[in-house]
Amino acid sequence: MLRPPFARAGLAALTALAFSMPLHAQTTPSPEAALAQRVDRLQAELDALKAQLAQLQRERAGAQAAAPAAGASAPAAAAPAATTAPTYAPIAPEQPVPTGEPATVLSSYGEINYNHYNHSSDRTQADLRRAVLGFAHRFDDKTRVVTEFEVEHAIASSSDSGEFEVEQAFIEHRFTPTYGLRAGLFLIPAGLLNENHEPTAYYGVERNFVETAIIPSTWREGGLQVFGTYGNGLTAQAGVSTGFDITKWDAASTEGAESPLGSIHQELQLAKARDLSVFGALNWRGIPGLQLGGSAFTGGANQGQPGVPDMRVTLWDLHARWTPGRWDLAAVYARGQISGTAEFNATLVGNPTLVPKTFDGWYAQAAYKVWSSGDYALTPFARYERYNTGRSYADLGPGLTPPARPTERVVTVGANFQLTPGVVFKADIQRFDVASENNRFDLGLGWSF
Amino acid sequence: MKPSWIHPGKPGPFFFAARRACTWRALLQGAAGVSLCALLTACGGGSSGSHEETPAPAALSAMAAMGEKIFNDTSLSASGRQSCAACHVSAAGHASENALAGQPGGVTMDQQGVRQTPSIRYLTANTPFFFDKEGTPTGGFFWDGRAASLADQAREPFLNAREMANADVPSVVEKLSRASYAAEFRKLYGEDIFSRPDDAYTRMTLALAQYQKEDHEFHAFTSRYDAFLDGRLKLSDQEMRGLALFNSPAKGNCAACHPSARGSDGSHPLFTDFTYDNLGVPRNPELLVNADPTYFDLGLCARPAGDLANRADLCGAFKVPSLRNVTRRQSFFHNGRFKSLKDVLTFYVQRDTHPEKWYPLGDDGQPLKFNDLPSQYAANVNTSEAPYNRLPGDAPALSDSEIDDVIAFLRTLDDDDSAH
C-alpha cells in the first residue's frame, strides 16, 4: 500500500480503523457517515483518536505556512479513510481538503476471479478481471485532478480481448467547505456500487447484477457536476453530462439483453454529444450507520442522428444501507425506461434483441462479520436479486412485439475474508433461476489502496 | 464444422432506426432552423457515412458525364452491339433485364457469359478484397471479388472474350478515339491522350467509376424501405411480417448476410455485408460451360490471379449481393439457376429438408446435393446456419406463406426510379 509519508500514529490508526471495515470505508465516504461508523464501531476510541489527529494537525499547521486555509475549511476531524489512504477510489464529492497529503498520490485496485460453472465445466474460467492504476494530484488546497486507468482481462492489444480504459479523469474544485465542482470524466452517482466499485467495497466475487445490468456500472460520463455536503448528513450531487447513444444498439447481438444501457454507453470515447443529460443524487447519512439515497439520470439518446426518432433514457434508483453492529444490510432498486422505442424497433423487427421500454431490478443483501482478529475479518453474506433487462416492450402489433423477458432471480451466498486492510479474498456460489446453466462457484482476490 | 469465415454469426453492424428527427437545436434557431428542418424532412434527408444518400441529382461533373457516354456506347465492343448498359440495365436495377443465366457477348455475340450479371448499384461503399480480423473474406468487385475498385472492375468487360471482346487495350482506345465524344475526351485528358493507350484506358475506366459514384441512380436510396426507415411511410402488415422473418435468426436469418438496419453513422443499409458464402446452388445446365461435366465454377478459390488457389476452403464461395432491387431480377445466384424469388427462397429453406426437389438423384435414388461442386468441396457448403441447419424431414424454416411475406418485404427494396 502506498501511504502518505505523514501517516503518523493518529492518522495511521484512523486509516486502519476505517480499513478494518473496508466496505464501510469505501461506500460511505462522507465525513458524517465515516464519523457515524466510527461512533458505531469504535466509540470508545474515537475521542482519543480525534484528539490525536487534532494535535497532529495543529502541529502541522504550525509548521506549514500554507496550511491555514486547509485547516479552516476542512472538517478534517471527520476525515474518512478514503482521504487518509491516498485512494481516490470512493470518489466522494465531499472529501475534505487534506492537510498533509502529498501533492500527488498513486492508487490501485484490481481483482482476479475464477468462475466454475456447475453444469458446464468447460466454461470454467480464470481472469484478471481488471487491474487499475490511478493518480490524484492536488494543485492547491481546493483543486485536484483525479485519474484512473484500467486494464481489463490482463492484456490489451489489437489481437486480444482486453481493454485499456480511462475510467475517470476529472478536475475537482472546492469553492467552500460545503460546495464543490467537478469537471471531466467522472462516475455517475447511482446506486451503491457505481462510485464505489473497488473489490474491497462489495460482497461477492462478481459485482451484483442489478448494478451492472440495470445500472451500467462502472458508468461514467463526461460533464460538469456540483456537489454539496451539508451538516445534517445530506449530500447532494447534480450535473449535466454526456449520455447514451441509441445508434450503438445492436439488435442482432445479445449485448442489449445483458445490459441495455451498458450496450449503448459512450464512455467519453468520441461521444456523440448533441443531447446532454442531467442527473442528480441525494444521500442522507444523518443517523450513524444508515445511508438512504436515490438518484436520477435522464437525457436524449438519439444524439441528433438523422432518421433516429427522439428517444430518452431515464434511469433512477433508490438505495439504502444500514450497518448496525456487525451487520451490513443493503438494498437497491433501479429502474430504467427508454422512450420512442416503438418507432425505433419497428425497423428492427425479428431481430433477437429489440430495445426495451422498461427494465428494472432490485436486490437485498445481508452480511454479518462472524469473526475478526487483528486485521483479519470474515464476513459471510447472502444476496437475493431480481432483475429484468426487458421488463416491457413498446407495442409493435401482434406477432411483432417481443414478449417481456423473464425475470431473472439470483441467489448469491458466500463470504469475504479480509486479509489485511485493502486485500480481500472472496468465495461464493450463485444460483440463477432462469439461466440455470450459469449456476456457478466463484473465487476472487481483490485489492485496493 | 464450417470454416469460420462462413457467415460467422457476427453481430451485424450496429443498428439504429426510424425517422429523421428535427432537433430542438434547429427549432431554437428559429424560423430558419424550422424551415431547414422541414426541408430536410420533406426530402428525406441524407444519411451520413460512406454510402451517403446523394441529394437530388446534380449535374454530373465533366468526368462523370464522360463516363456516362462510355457506359452507353456500344461502339466500344468488338461486336459493336454491346455496351456496359447492355447488361447493366437501369430499369433492372443495373443488372440484366432478362432471365438468362449468362448474357450473350463476344465478337459476333455468340458467346455466353459464365456467370449471371451482378447489379452494379450500391457498390460505392464496397472495398477492395480483404480478410477481416476473423478471417472472413470481404469486399472486392465481381462475384469473386477479384477487382479492387469500380475502375478496376470496369477494365475487364471490354477485354473479356465473352463480353465486349476487344483484343487488347489499344483496340479499345482506338474505338474510343473514333467515338462521337472523342473530342471531349481529348479536351478532358489532353490532345495526345489517344497516343497513350494505357493512360487513355485508365482514364476511361476512372470516368466510368466516377459516373457510378456521381449518378444518383446508382445509390438512390429511394425505396419504400428507405422511406420507412426515415419514418415517412408505414409498411403493410405483410411487409412487416416479412421484415421480421427476414431479420429473425431462427427464421429466414437473411439479415445475417444482408443487413437490414441502418448503421450507427446513419447510413441506410445496403443489404449486403460484402462477404462470401457457399450456398451449394444446384448446377445450371443453361450455362453452356456446364456441358463439360469436369467444369466447375469454384468462385473465390479459382480467381484468375490464383491468389487464393491454396484456399480450398473457399472453393464454391461467391459474393453476397445486395438485395436492393432484387425483385427486378429474373435470374438469381452466380449461375442464374433460379428464375423467381419464390424459388430462391424455397431453395434456401428446403435445400436441406427436401434436397430431392433441387438436385438430381443418383443411382441409389438419393439426391446428389451440391452437384455444382466437386465432391471434395461439398463440405465447404454452409450447412451450419439457419435456414440451412436442417435435415430431411425437418420442417423448413419458412412456410410457403412466410416466404410470400418475405417476398412482399423484398419488394419494398426496389428503388423508385421516378423519384428524381
Side-chain angles (χ1 to χ4, degrees), chain A residues 80-303:
Chain A
T83 302
T84 54
T87 177
Y88 51 80
I91 302 291
E94 55 276 17
Q95 289 182 10
V97 177
T99 53
E101 186 175 295
T104 304
V105 291
L106 289 175
S107 62
S108 170
Y109 71 89
E111 53 188 321
I112 297 172
N113 295 353
Y114 169 90
N115 310 109
H116 175 84
Y117 292 88
N118 302 356
H119 303 308
S120 45
S121 58
D122 57 310
R123 293 167 61 201
T124 300
Q125 191 176 65
D127 183 36
L128 192 155
R129 195 69 90 226
R130 51 181 57 84
V132 181
L133 285 172
F135 69 83
H137 176 77
R138 187 168 291 286
F139 299 104
D140 57 38
D141 293 333
K142 296 180 178 178
T143 310
R144 63 174 186 153
V145 60
V146 174
T147 63
E148 189 174 285
F149 304 91
E150 174 165 329
V151 177
E152 292 184 348
H153 310 303
I155 302 171
S157 78
S158 62
S159 57
D160 290 293
S161 300
E163 295 180 358
F164 183 85
E165 305 166 4
V166 178
E167 199 165 272
Q168 301 183 65
F170 64 84
I171 302 293
E172 182 177 284
H173 181 78
R174 280 189 164 269
F175 298 111
T176 71
T178 303
Y179 292 103
L181 175 78
R182 282 178 175 181
L185 175 67
F186 50 72
L187 299 168
I188 295 295
L192 290 170
L193 185 125
N194 195 52
E195 285 192 305
N196 303 285
H197 51 264
E198 300 73 23
T200 50
Y202 56 87
Y203 293 104
V205 175
E206 306 292 348
R207 297 170 179 174
N208 71 73
F209 287 97
V210 172
E211 294 184 274
T212 49
I214 307 300
I215 299 172
S217 302
T218 305
W219 173 24
R220 62 272 191 180
E221 302 284 355
L224 202 61
Q225 175 187 161
V226 293
F227 56 87
T229 309
Y230 306 97
N232 59 3
L234 188 68
T235 302
Q237 292 164 269
V240 295
S241 72
T242 54
F244 295 96
D245 173 14
I246 197 68
T247 69
K248 294 178 75 175
W249 190 272
D250 183 354
S253 84
T254 58
E255 199 183 345
E258 290 160 10
S259 175
L261 297 185
S263 72
I264 58 170
H265 63 180
Q266 302 201 75
E267 300 176 309
L268 209 59
Q269 182 186 57
L270 304 174
K272 292 173 182 164
R274 191 205 69 153
D275 295 336
L276 290 183
S277 298
V278 295
F279 64 90
L282 288 174
N283 280 284
W284 181 70
R285 300 177 181 87
I287 297 174
L290 182 65
Q291 176 187 357
L292 298 174
S295 74
F297 177 100
T298 185
N302 78 336
Q303 303 295 347

Side-chain angles (χ1 to χ4, degrees), chain B residues 25-44:
Chain B
R25 183 166 299 170
L27 294 173
L28 288 176
Q29 285 166 351
V34 172
S35 60
L36 175 64
C37 183
L39 179 65
L40 285 171
T41 304
C43 68

Side-chain angles (χ1 to χ4, degrees), chain A residues 249 274 307-308 343 347 349-350, chain B residues 15-19 23 247-248 264:
Chain A
W249 190 272
R274 191 205 69 153
V308 182
E343 197 173 347
T347 62
V349 290
Chain B
F15 294 100
F16 74 106
R19 68 168 169 77
T23 68
N247 287 336
S248 171
S264 61

Side-chain angles (χ1 to χ4, degrees), chain B residues 120 123-130 139-142 145-157 202 205-210 212-213 276 303 319:
Chain B
I120 53 172
L123 288 176
T124 50
N126 195 12
T127 61
F129 181 86
F130 68 102
F141 297 78
F142 291 120
R146 64 185 183 274
S149 65
L150 285 170
D152 195 18
Q153 178 187 36
R155 297 182 73 90
E156 294 204 24
T202 298
T205 53
L206 286 169
L208 281 167
Q210 193 64 28
Q212 294 174 66
K213 289 173 183 171
Y276 292 76
R303 306 205 294 198
K319 190 141 147 271

